[in-house]
Structures are given as C-alpha cells and as structure tokens.
Amino acid sequence: MIITAQQHILRQQEQYFPEAGGTFSWMLSGITLATKMIQAKIRQAGLLDVLGSAGETNVQGETQQKLDVYANQALLHCLGLRDSVAILVSEENEEPVRFERAPETGKYIIFFDPLDGSSNIDVNVSVGTIFSIFRRPSKSDQTSMSEVLQPGLRQVAAGYVVYGSSTILVYTAGRGVFGFTLDPEIGAYVLSHDNLRMPQHGNFYSVNEAQAHTFPPQYQQYLANLRNGELGRTYSSRYVGSLVADFHRTILKGGVFLYPPTNGYPQGKLRLLYEANPLAFIAEQAGGAAIDGQRRILEIQPGEIHQRTPFVIGSKAEVEAFEQVSQRTSVSR
Ligand code: AHM
Ligand code: MG
C-alpha cells in the first residue's frame, strides 16, 4: 500500500507532536501544493513562454528568471493562506513578508529558495525548491528581526524538492529523513525513500573547479588530497551547478559538496538561511555533516536574512577529512 507525504507527516505528528493538532501538516501541504504547481510549470517550460529572464534583478543582484518569479508567487500564495504561517522569508524578497496573525495562530516562520539553480533551467537541467521552518519565539522578549534570525539548530523541519527526471521531496522534522516521489498519475508524493541514510564515505566530490585557483589554501590542499588518493579512495568529480541536484546525489551516493570562498564571492555564494541551514539539518539527520569550513552550519547565529556562507557538506568521513586538512593548514601558516 502506498504512503503519501501527507499521511506520513500526519503520522509522525501524531507520534511525536500530538499537541500540534494538525496545523503543522496543514501548513506543509501548502508547500507540497506550491511545489506541484512549480513542477507542472517546469515540465511545460519549453512549450510556454516561461523560459528566460524576467528582466528584473533580485535582492542578490542576480537576474530573475520568469520561473523564479512564478515559483516565488506560488509559495507566497499557498503559504500565505495558511493561518499558522507568521513570516515568510524568500530569496526573491528583500524583506520578510509578515502576516498580522495572533501569536497563538501564527506560529511558524518559513524560509525558502523558490527555484534554486534557476540559471540551469533553459538547458533542461534539474532545479529545486528548498525550505526551512522555525517556530516563532514568544513575542515578549523578541524584537522583530531577532525572531527571524535564529540559528539552524532551532529548525523544526526542513526539506527540498528536486525537479529532475522525477520530482522528489526530501524532508526531515528531526526524526530521520524521508523521500517521496511525485506520482504524476495520482498527483501525490509517495514514500519512496524510507529513513534515508547518507553513506559514511563516498566516491564523488562536487565543486566548481574552474574557481579553484581562488579558493583559500586549505580547500586547494583538500582537493589535492582527494585527487592523489590520500584518503585511501579514488574520487570522481560531479558538478551540476544546481545545489539541490548536487546535494541530492551526495545524500544518496555519499561524498562531499563544497562552495568555498572565491574571489567573486569572498563569503561563499550560498545563502545560510534558505540554502545551507535546511540542507545541513537534512544531512545531519541522515548521518552526514555540514560546516562553513570551521563551524557547524547549524550553530551559526545569523546576522541578516540574506547572508552567505562558505559550505562543506556531505558524508562524515569526507567532511572530517576536510576539518583535519583545515586544522593542519592553519597551524602551518
Ligand atoms: P541561485 O540560488 O541564484 O540559483 O544560485 C545558487 C546556485 C546553486 O544552486 C549552485 O550550487 C550554485 O549557484 C552554482 O554556482 P556557480 O555557478 O558559481 O558554480
Ligand atoms: Mg538559490
């Protein structure tokens, strides 16, 4: 018998959070609905006039694709209608979107990257949606920005959808990681990866090597070690250029993904709150690890909503090997 994402989330909720009374799963159904709308649009992308740039730049100064705009609106719309949502923070919006709801109803803050890797969409390469959910702290001791700026350890749930050769939702609420494949015949996400575990080692590393000459020395040394067999394995490189797709391979096959500081992006390119945090939570729940080069991603206290971070994520063995190289490199300097 099939188990849908909706059933699974309700079951988990009854088991671990009976006090939530269905609001959490109702809110998540807003996310799954939006991602079904986004995937439908992506699947038609070559047929409709939805490819290409929308002619605007977003808050990061990056060109917005038409599908970026559509995906953002779908999430804002589907989640804005859910009473339990207090604040939405999107890669595509400079400021948080706040809903005037009483604290007892508006319980959650959701961060999302509506369409990650969207510069890949014109060439039919996988893209994704990433989300991260926090509880809104009790209002009394919080000023408006600090309630939004919580470290990743406080996430109550996180997930992503990869729009690839099939559409897959991967999700954690802190009790393991579960993957659901969208069955296009019935329009539902169906459990396909029960209690997903990331391999402790892998044979792939994933990084934009064209930038390697501008990486800090510990990253260059680490990549050299991977290549010259120092870790006792032979590695192959894989780099899609869509974080969700690169991470999805990493969680299933093991290995490591890196986005180091570069000349162009001295803090790294990826965003802490809606890219690194949710994937770090999922990686740790699956037995992997995620750091910013030094610190555990989930312990970083954010200073602003669109901040970037260097990112090293993957199997335990590969991330630990990076930490060792990093310590040695800093001692010898
Ligand atoms: P985006 O959110 O504007 O799509 O940018 C993030 C993407 C990630 O999906 C991917 O890991 C990275 O940018 C690739 O960057 P680069 O082309 O510099 O390697
Ligand atoms: Mg993105």
Side-chain angles (χ1 to χ4, degrees):
M1 203 48 206
I2 61 163
I3 299 174
T4 66
Q6 188 83 12
Q7 287 167 331
H8 189 269
I9 290 160
L10 262 174
R11 255 190 225 174
Q12 268 209 328
Q13 189 176 307
E14 279 161 14
Q15 206 174 342
Y16 302 116
F17 316 99
E19 71 291 347
T23 44
F24 189 66
S25 54
W26 173 234
M27 182 181 70
L28 280 171
S29 74
I31 299 182
T32 51
L33 174 60
T35 63
K36 287 177 199 172
M37 291 166 63
I38 297 166
Q39 77 88 32
K41 200 59 129 193
I42 289 170
R43 304 282 174 224
Q44 292 178 305
L47 304 171
L48 306 173
D49 182 28
V50 291
L51 291 177
S53 156
E56 303 277 330
T57 51
N58 68 7
V59 49
Q60 327 285 343
E62 292 155 352
T63 308
Q64 276 185 316
Q65 305 288 314
K66 285 180 197 159
L67 276 165
D68 278 325
V69 177
Y70 178 84
N72 194 37
Q73 282 167 356
L75 280 154
L76 290 174
H77 175 74
C78 294
L79 285 169
L81 294 173
R82 302 294 198 258
D83 278 347
S84 50
V85 174
I87 302 172
L88 295 175
V89 180
S90 165
E91 175 180 355
E92 302 297 337
N93 293 97
E94 191 158 356
E95 297 293 333
V97 178
R98 292 168 184 278
F99 299 90
E100 288 312 319
R101 285 174 183 139
E104 45 304 348
T105 37
K107 287 186 192 155
Y108 296 103
I109 303 171
I110 308 181
F111 292 81
F112 53 84
D113 180 351
L115 201 60
D116 178 66
S118 55
S119 62
N120 266 330
I121 201 143
D122 287 359
V123 290
N124 205 22
V125 168
S126 300
V127 289
T129 295
I130 315 176
F131 61 91
S132 160
I133 304 177
F134 290 84
R135 219 166 257 120
R136 181 192 204 178
S138 64
K139 264 212 153 163
S140 48
D141 56 339
Q142 302 291 336
T143 62
S144 56
M145 219 18 149
S146 70
E147 66 179 355
V148 176
L149 297 173
Q150 304 181 49
L153 272 176
R154 299 224 190 110
Q155 288 172 102
V156 290
Y160 64 85
V161 173
V162 55
Y163 309 106
S165 45
S166 55
T167 298
I168 296 188
L169 163 72
V170 174
Y171 162 86
T172 185
R175 310 273 168 169
V177 179
F178 300 88
F180 304 85
T181 302
L182 184 66
D183 182 339
E185 300 270 301
I186 58 173
Y189 284 106
V190 173
L191 183 64
S192 51
H193 300 72
D194 197 9
N195 202 11
L196 235 171
R197 305 295 298 165
M198 183 162 357
Q200 292 292 294
H201 292 271
N203 292 323
F204 297 117
Y205 72 84
S206 185
V207 67
N208 185 344
E209 272 188 305
Q211 301 293 327
H213 60 290
T214 79
F215 296 166
Q218 66 274 30
Y219 289 88
Q220 299 198 26
Q221 185 58 54
Y222 176 64
L223 292 173
N225 291 357
L226 293 179
R227 281 189 295 258
N228 67 24
E230 204 137 309
L231 270 68
R233 305 172 81 85
T234 305
Y235 287 88
S236 287
S237 67
R238 294 282 187 279
Y239 191 69
V240 176
S242 281
L243 175 64
V244 169
D246 280 315
F247 179 72
H248 191 62
R249 180 196 57 253
T250 306
I251 195 172
L252 293 177
K253 302 280 182 200
V256 62
F257 170 90
L258 307 99
Y259 207 111
T262 63
N263 276 355
Y265 294 105
Q267 302 304 318
K269 182 182 180 191
L270 301 175
R271 276 52 64 107
L272 175 63
L273 288 164
Y274 39 80
E275 293 181 320
N277 259 347
L279 299 188
F281 187 23
I282 293 168
E284 288 198 6
Q285 281 291 315
I291 58 174
D292 73 345
Q294 283 149 345
R295 292 169 295 175
R296 188 177 167 209
I297 289 286
L298 296 182
E299 289 177 6
I300 299 173
Q301 171 60 51
E304 57 113 357
I305 58 174
H306 296 293
Q307 96 186 46
R308 297 176 194 268
T309 177
F311 198 31
V312 179
I313 188 166
S315 294
K316 265 229 166 93
E318 275 78 17
V319 175
E320 276 168 11
F322 177 85
E323 287 174 313
Q324 281 162 16
V325 173
S326 187
Q327 277 157 13
R328 281 205 298 272
T329 318
S330 61
V331 171
S332 65
R333 264 190 297 162

